[in-house]
Amino acid sequence: MDKGETGRKMGDMIKKAIADCELTSSEYDEILALAYEDGKIDSQEQALLKQLQDLLANQTVKRVPG
């Protein structure tokens, strides 16, 4: 998967979490796996992960089992 595709897929997963107002543990793990897939986190991936962490911290998105 190329860098742009990875970022797009991560962004889509985060948008889904926002729409659902929740993020399952397996979705969270998949997002992290995508970010670390090539062994490094580029600036786009880093920004997406920060956005996700902010959403979880302010409880816009809640982490749920699954």
Side-chain angles (χ1 to χ4, degrees):
M1 197 175 304
D2 67 34
K3 288 181 184 181
E5 187 177 345
T6 299
R8 183 187 51 76
K9 187 166 183 180
M10 287 175 62
D12 289 346
M13 292 181 75
I14 292 169
K15 286 177 190 172
K16 180 187 175 301
I18 293 169
D20 296 344
C21 296
E22 63 182 32
L23 181 70
T24 66
S25 295
S26 60
E27 289 170 333
Y28 183 78
D29 291 343
E30 187 176 349
I31 290 170
L32 290 181
L34 281 169
Y36 289 104
E37 185 175 63
D38 61 359
K40 60 182 177 174
I41 298 179
D42 66 29
S43 59
Q44 180 186 19
E45 293 165 343
Q46 188 173 24
L48 288 168
L49 289 173
K50 178 171 181 356
Q51 177 188 19
L52 180 60
Q53 291 302 321
D54 290 347
L55 292 168
L56 291 168
N58 69 23
Q59 296 186 349
T60 299
V61 174
K62 296 197 186 316
R63 191 133 172 228
V64 297

Coordinates of all heavy atoms in Angstrom, one line a residue:
M1 N 0.9 -1.2 0.0 CA 0.0 0.0 0.0 C 0.9 1.2 0.0 O 1.8 1.3 0.8 CB -0.9 0.0 1.3 CG -2.1 0.9 1.2 SD -3.2 0.7 2.7 CE -3.6 -1.0 2.7
D2 N 0.6 2.2 -0.9 CA 1.5 3.4 -0.9 C 1.0 4.4 0.2 O 0.0 4.2 0.8 CB 1.5 4.0 -2.3 CG 0.1 4.6 -2.7 OD1 -0.6 5.1 -1.8 OD2 -0.2 4.6 -3.9
K3 N 1.9 5.4 0.4 CA 1.7 6.3 1.5 C 0.3 7.0 1.4 O -0.4 7.1 2.4 CB 2.8 7.3 1.5 CG 4.1 6.8 2.0 CD 5.1 7.9 2.1 CE 6.4 7.3 2.5 NZ 7.5 8.3 2.6
G4 N 0.0 7.5 0.2 CA -1.3 8.2 0.0 C -2.5 7.3 0.3 O -3.5 7.7 0.9
E5 N -2.4 6.0 -0.1 CA -3.5 5.1 0.1 C -3.6 4.8 1.6 O -4.7 4.7 2.1 CB -3.2 3.8 -0.7 CG -4.4 2.9 -0.6 CD -4.2 1.6 -1.5 OE1 -3.3 1.6 -2.3 OE2 -4.9 0.7 -1.3
T6 N -2.5 4.6 2.3 CA -2.5 4.4 3.7 C -3.2 5.5 4.5 O -4.1 5.3 5.3 CB -1.1 4.2 4.3 OG1 -0.5 3.1 3.6 CG2 -1.1 3.9 5.8
G7 N -2.8 6.7 4.1 CA -3.4 7.9 4.8 C -4.9 8.0 4.5 O -5.7 8.3 5.4
R8 N -5.3 7.7 3.3 CA -6.7 7.8 2.9 C -7.5 6.7 3.7 O -8.6 7.0 4.2 CB -6.9 7.5 1.4 CG -8.3 7.6 0.9 CD -8.5 7.2 -0.5 NE -7.9 6.0 -0.9 CZ -8.4 4.8 -0.6 NH1 -9.5 4.7 0.1 NH2 -7.8 3.6 -0.9
K9 N -6.9 5.5 3.8 CA -7.6 4.5 4.5 C -7.8 4.8 6.0 O -8.8 4.6 6.6 CB -6.9 3.1 4.3 CG -7.7 2.0 4.9 CD -7.3 0.6 4.4 CE -8.2 -0.4 5.1 NZ -7.8 -1.8 4.7
M10 N -6.7 5.3 6.6 CA -6.7 5.7 8.0 C -7.8 6.8 8.2 O -8.5 6.8 9.1 CB -5.3 6.2 8.4 CG -4.3 5.1 8.6 SD -2.7 5.8 9.1 CE -3.0 6.6 10.6
G11 N -7.8 7.8 7.2 CA -8.7 8.9 7.3 C -10.2 8.4 7.2 O -11.0 8.9 8.0
D12 N -10.4 7.4 6.3 CA -11.7 6.9 6.2 C -12.2 6.2 7.5 O -13.3 6.3 7.9 CB -11.8 5.9 5.0 CG -11.7 6.6 3.7 OD1 -11.9 7.8 3.6 OD2 -11.5 5.8 2.7
M13 N -11.2 5.4 8.1 CA -11.6 4.7 9.4 C -11.9 5.7 10.5 O -12.8 5.5 11.3 CB -10.4 3.8 9.7 CG -10.3 2.6 8.8 SD -9.0 1.5 9.2 CE -9.8 0.7 10.6
I14 N -11.1 6.8 10.5 CA -11.3 7.8 11.6 C -12.7 8.5 11.3 O -13.4 8.8 12.3 CB -10.2 8.8 11.6 CG1 -8.9 8.1 12.2 CG2 -10.5 10.0 12.5 CD1 -7.6 8.9 12.0
K15 N -13.0 8.8 10.1 CA -14.3 9.4 9.8 C -15.4 8.5 10.2 O -16.5 9.0 10.7 CB -14.4 9.7 8.3 CG -13.6 10.9 7.9 CD -13.6 11.1 6.4 CE -12.6 12.2 5.9 NZ -12.5 12.2 4.4
K16 N -15.3 7.2 10.0 CA -16.3 6.2 10.4 C -16.5 6.3 11.9 O -17.6 6.3 12.4 CB -15.9 4.8 9.9 CG -17.0 3.8 10.3 CD -16.5 2.4 10.0 CE -17.5 1.3 10.4 NZ -17.7 1.3 11.9
A17 N -15.3 6.3 12.6 CA -15.4 6.4 14.1 C -16.1 7.6 14.5 O -16.9 7.6 15.5 CB -14.0 6.3 14.7
I18 N -15.9 8.8 13.9 CA -16.6 10.0 14.2 C -18.1 9.9 14.0 O -18.9 10.3 14.8 CB -16.0 11.2 13.4 CG1 -14.5 11.4 13.9 CG2 -16.8 12.5 13.6 CD1 -13.8 12.4 13.0
A19 N -18.4 9.3 12.8 CA -19.8 9.2 12.5 C -20.5 8.2 13.5 O -21.7 8.5 13.8 CB -20.0 8.6 11.1
D20 N -19.8 7.2 13.9 CA -20.4 6.2 14.8 C -20.3 6.7 16.3 O -20.9 6.1 17.2 CB -19.7 4.9 14.8 CG -19.8 4.2 13.4 OD1 -20.7 4.5 12.6 OD2 -19.0 3.3 13.2
C21 N -19.5 7.7 16.5 CA -19.1 8.2 17.9 C -18.5 7.1 18.7 O -18.5 7.2 20.0 CB -20.4 8.7 18.6 SG -21.1 10.2 17.8
E22 N -17.9 6.1 18.1 CA -17.2 5.1 18.8 C -16.2 4.4 17.9 O -16.3 4.4 16.7 CB -18.2 4.0 19.4 CG -18.9 3.2 18.4 CD -19.9 2.2 19.0 OE1 -20.4 2.5 20.1 OE2 -20.1 1.2 18.4
L23 N -15.2 3.8 18.6 CA -14.1 3.1 17.9 C -13.9 1.8 18.7 O -13.6 1.8 19.9 CB -12.8 4.0 18.0 CG -11.6 3.4 17.3 CD1 -11.8 3.4 15.8 CD2 -10.4 4.3 17.7
T24 N -14.0 0.7 18.0 CA -13.7 -0.6 18.6 C -12.2 -0.8 18.8 O -11.4 -0.2 18.1 CB -14.3 -1.8 17.8 OG1 -13.6 -1.9 16.6 CG2 -15.8 -1.6 17.6
S25 N -11.9 -1.7 19.7 CA -10.5 -2.0 19.9 C -9.8 -2.6 18.6 O -8.7 -2.2 18.3 CB -10.3 -3.0 21.0 OG -10.7 -2.4 22.2
S26 N -10.6 -3.4 17.9 CA -10.0 -3.9 16.6 C -9.8 -2.9 15.6 O -8.8 -2.9 14.8 CB -10.9 -5.1 16.1 OG -12.2 -4.7 15.8
E27 N -10.7 -1.9 15.5 CA -10.5 -0.8 14.6 C -9.3 0.1 15.0 O -8.5 0.5 14.1 CB -11.8 0.1 14.5 CG -13.0 -0.5 13.9 CD -14.3 0.3 14.1 OE1 -14.4 1.0 15.1 OE2 -15.1 0.1 13.2
Y28 N -9.2 0.3 16.2 CA -8.0 1.1 16.7 C -6.7 0.3 16.4 O -5.8 0.9 15.9 CB -8.1 1.3 18.2 CG -7.0 2.1 18.9 CD1 -7.1 3.5 18.7 CD2 -6.0 1.5 19.5 CE1 -6.1 4.2 19.3 CE2 -5.0 2.2 20.1 CZ -5.0 3.6 20.0 OH -4.0 4.4 20.5
D29 N -6.7 -1.0 16.6 CA -5.5 -1.8 16.3 C -5.2 -1.7 14.8 O -4.0 -1.7 14.4 CB -5.7 -3.2 16.8 CG -5.7 -3.3 18.3 OD1 -5.2 -2.4 19.0 OD2 -6.1 -4.4 18.8
E30 N -6.2 -1.8 14.0 CA -6.1 -1.7 12.5 C -5.5 -0.4 12.1 O -4.6 -0.3 11.2 CB -7.4 -2.0 11.8 CG -7.2 -2.2 10.3 CD -8.5 -2.5 9.6 OE1 -9.5 -2.9 10.3 OE2 -8.5 -2.5 8.4
I31 N -6.0 0.7 12.7 CA -5.4 2.0 12.4 C -4.0 2.1 12.7 O -3.1 2.6 11.9 CB -6.2 3.1 13.1 CG1 -7.6 3.2 12.5 CG2 -5.5 4.5 13.0 CD1 -8.6 4.1 13.2
L32 N -3.6 1.6 13.9 CA -2.2 1.6 14.3 C -1.3 0.7 13.4 O -0.2 1.1 13.0 CB -2.0 1.1 15.7 CG -2.5 2.1 16.8 CD1 -2.3 1.5 18.2 CD2 -1.9 3.5 16.7
A33 N -1.9 -0.4 13.0 CA -1.1 -1.3 12.1 C -0.9 -0.6 10.7 O 0.2 -0.8 10.2 CB -1.9 -2.6 11.9
L34 N -1.9 0.1 10.2 CA -1.7 0.8 9.0 C -0.6 1.9 9.1 O 0.2 2.0 8.2 CB -3.0 1.5 8.6 CG -4.1 0.6 7.9 CD1 -5.4 1.4 7.9 CD2 -3.6 0.2 6.6
A35 N -0.6 2.6 10.2 CA 0.4 3.6 10.4 C 1.8 3.1 10.5 O 2.7 3.7 9.9 CB 0.1 4.4 11.7
Y36 N 2.0 1.9 11.1 CA 3.3 1.3 11.3 C 3.6 0.3 10.2 O 4.7 -0.3 10.2 CB 3.4 0.6 12.6 CG 3.4 1.6 13.8 CD1 2.3 1.8 14.6 CD2 4.6 2.3 14.1 CE1 2.3 2.7 15.6 CE2 4.6 3.2 15.2 CZ 3.5 3.4 15.9 OH 3.5 4.3 17.0
E37 N 2.8 0.2 9.2 CA 3.0 -0.9 8.2 C 4.3 -0.8 7.5 O 5.0 -1.8 7.2 CB 1.8 -0.7 7.1 CG 1.8 -1.8 6.1 CD 0.6 -1.6 5.2 OE1 0.5 -0.6 4.5 OE2 -0.2 -2.5 5.2
D38 N 4.8 0.4 7.2 CA 6.1 0.5 6.4 C 7.2 0.8 7.4 O 8.3 1.1 7.0 CB 6.0 1.6 5.4 CG 5.7 3.0 5.9 OD1 5.5 3.1 7.2 OD2 5.6 3.9 5.2
G39 N 7.0 0.7 8.7 CA 8.1 0.8 9.7 C 8.3 2.2 10.1 O 9.2 2.5 10.9
K40 N 7.6 3.2 9.5 CA 7.8 4.6 10.0 C 6.4 5.3 9.8 O 5.6 4.9 9.0 CB 8.9 5.3 9.2 CG 8.6 5.3 7.7 CD 9.7 6.0 6.9 CE 9.3 5.9 5.5 NZ 10.2 6.6 4.6
I41 N 6.3 6.4 10.6 CA 5.1 7.2 10.5 C 5.4 8.5 9.8 O 6.2 9.2 10.3 CB 4.5 7.4 11.9 CG1 4.1 6.1 12.6 CG2 3.3 8.3 11.8 CD1 3.6 6.2 14.0
D42 N 4.8 8.7 8.7 CA 5.0 10.0 7.9 C 4.2 11.1 8.6 O 3.3 10.8 9.5 CB 4.8 9.8 6.4 CG 3.4 9.5 6.0 OD1 2.4 9.9 6.8 OD2 3.2 8.9 5.0
S43 N 4.3 12.3 8.1 CA 3.6 13.4 8.7 C 2.1 13.3 8.5 O 1.4 13.7 9.5 CB 4.1 14.7 8.0 OG 3.9 14.8 6.6
Q44 N 1.6 12.8 7.4 CA 0.2 12.7 7.3 C -0.4 11.7 8.3 O -1.4 11.9 8.9 CB -0.2 12.2 5.8 CG -1.7 12.0 5.6 CD -2.0 11.4 4.2 OE1 -1.2 10.8 3.6 NE2 -3.2 11.6 3.8
E45 N 0.3 10.5 8.4 CA -0.1 9.5 9.4 C -0.1 10.1 10.8 O -1.0 9.8 11.6 CB 0.7 8.3 9.2 CG 0.5 7.5 7.9 CD 1.6 6.5 7.6 OE1 2.7 6.6 8.2 OE2 1.4 5.7 6.7
Q46 N 1.0 10.8 11.1 CA 1.1 11.4 12.4 C 0.0 12.4 12.7 O -0.6 12.3 13.8 CB 2.5 12.1 12.5 CG 2.8 12.6 13.9 CD 4.2 13.1 14.0 OE1 4.8 13.6 13.0 NE2 4.8 13.1 15.1
A47 N -0.4 13.2 11.7 CA -1.5 14.1 11.9 C -2.8 13.4 12.2 O -3.6 13.8 13.0 CB -1.6 15.0 10.7
L48 N -3.0 12.3 11.4 CA -4.3 11.5 11.6 C -4.3 10.9 13.0 O -5.4 10.9 13.6 CB -4.4 10.5 10.5 CG -4.7 11.0 9.1 CD1 -4.5 9.9 8.1 CD2 -6.1 11.6 9.1
L49 N -3.2 10.3 13.4 CA -3.1 9.7 14.7 C -3.4 10.7 15.8 O -4.1 10.5 16.8 CB -1.8 9.0 15.0 CG -1.6 7.7 14.1 CD1 -0.2 7.2 14.3 CD2 -2.6 6.6 14.5
K50 N -2.8 11.9 15.7 CA -3.0 13.0 16.7 C -4.5 13.4 16.7 O -5.1 13.5 17.8 CB -2.2 14.2 16.4 CG -2.5 15.3 17.4 CD -1.5 16.4 17.3 CE -1.8 17.5 18.3 NZ -2.9 17.5 19.2
Q51 N -5.1 13.5 15.5 CA -6.6 13.8 15.5 C -7.4 12.7 16.2 O -8.3 13.1 17.0 CB -7.0 13.9 14.0 CG -8.5 14.2 13.9 CD -9.0 14.1 12.4 OE1 -8.3 13.5 11.6 NE2 -10.1 14.6 12.2
L52 N -7.0 11.5 16.0 CA -7.8 10.4 16.6 C -7.6 10.5 18.1 O -8.5 10.3 18.9 CB -7.3 9.0 16.1 CG -8.0 7.8 16.7 CD1 -9.5 7.8 16.5 CD2 -7.4 6.5 16.1
Q53 N -6.3 10.7 18.6 CA -6.1 10.8 20.0 C -6.8 11.9 20.7 O -7.4 11.8 21.8 CB -4.6 10.9 20.3 CG -3.8 9.6 20.0 CD -4.3 8.4 20.7 OE1 -4.6 8.5 21.9 NE2 -4.3 7.3 20.1
D54 N -6.9 13.1 19.9 CA -7.6 14.2 20.5 C -9.1 13.9 20.6 O -9.8 14.2 21.6 CB -7.5 15.4 19.6 CG -6.1 16.0 19.6 OD1 -5.3 15.6 20.5 OD2 -5.7 16.8 18.7
L55 N -9.7 13.2 19.6 CA -11.1 12.8 19.6 C -11.4 11.9 20.8 O -12.4 11.9 21.4 CB -11.5 12.2 18.3 CG -11.5 13.1 17.1 CD1 -11.7 12.3 15.8 CD2 -12.6 14.2 17.2
L56 N -10.5 10.9 21.0 CA -10.6 10.0 22.1 C -10.5 10.7 23.5 O -11.3 10.5 24.4 CB -9.6 8.9 22.0 CG -9.9 7.9 20.9 CD1 -8.7 7.0 20.7 CD2 -11.1 7.1 21.1
A57 N -9.5 11.7 23.6 CA -9.3 12.4 24.8 C -10.5 13.3 25.2 O -10.8 13.3 26.4 CB -8.0 13.2 24.7
N58 N -11.1 13.9 24.2 CA -12.2 14.8 24.5 C -13.6 14.1 24.5 O -14.6 14.7 24.6 CB -12.2 16.1 23.7 CG -12.6 15.8 22.2 OD1 -13.2 14.8 21.8 ND2 -12.1 16.8 21.4
Q59 N -13.5 12.8 24.3 CA -14.6 11.8 24.3 C -15.7 12.1 23.2 O -16.8 11.8 23.3 CB -15.3 11.8 25.6 CG -14.3 11.2 26.7 CD -15.0 11.0 28.0 OE1 -16.1 11.4 28.3 NE2 -14.3 10.3 28.9
T60 N -15.2 12.8 22.1 CA -16.1 12.9 20.9 C -16.3 11.5 20.3 O -17.4 11.2 19.9 CB -15.4 13.8 19.8 OG1 -15.2 15.1 20.4 CG2 -16.2 13.9 18.6
V61 N -15.2 10.7 20.4 CA -15.3 9.3 20.0 C -14.9 8.5 21.2 O -13.9 8.8 21.9 CB -14.3 9.0 18.9 CG1 -14.2 7.5 18.6 CG2 -14.6 9.8 17.6
K62 N -15.7 7.5 21.5 CA -15.5 6.6 22.7 C -14.9 5.3 22.2 O -15.3 4.7 21.2 CB -16.8 6.4 23.4 CG -17.3 7.6 24.0 CD -18.3 7.3 25.1 CE -19.1 8.5 25.6 NZ -18.4 9.7 26.0
R63 N -13.9 4.8 23.0 CA -13.4 3.5 22.6 C -14.2 2.4 23.3 O -14.5 2.5 24.5 CB -11.9 3.4 23.2 CG -11.2 2.3 22.7 CD -9.8 2.7 22.2 NE -9.1 1.4 22.0 CZ -7.9 1.1 22.4 NH1 -7.2 2.0 23.0 NH2 -7.4 0.0 22.1
V64 N -14.6 1.4 22.5 CA -15.5 0.3 23.0 C -14.8 -1.0 22.7 O -14.0 -1.1 21.8 CB -16.9 0.4 22.3 CG1 -17.6 1.7 22.7 CG2 -16.8 0.3 20.8
P65 N -15.2 -2.0 23.4 CA -14.7 -3.4 23.1 C -15.2 -3.9 21.8 O -16.2 -3.4 21.3 CB -15.3 -4.3 24.2 CG -15.9 -3.4 25.2 CD -16.1 -2.0 24.5
G66 N -14.4 -4.7 21.2 CA -14.8 -5.3 20.0 C -13.7 -5.4 18.9 O -12.8 -4.9 18.8

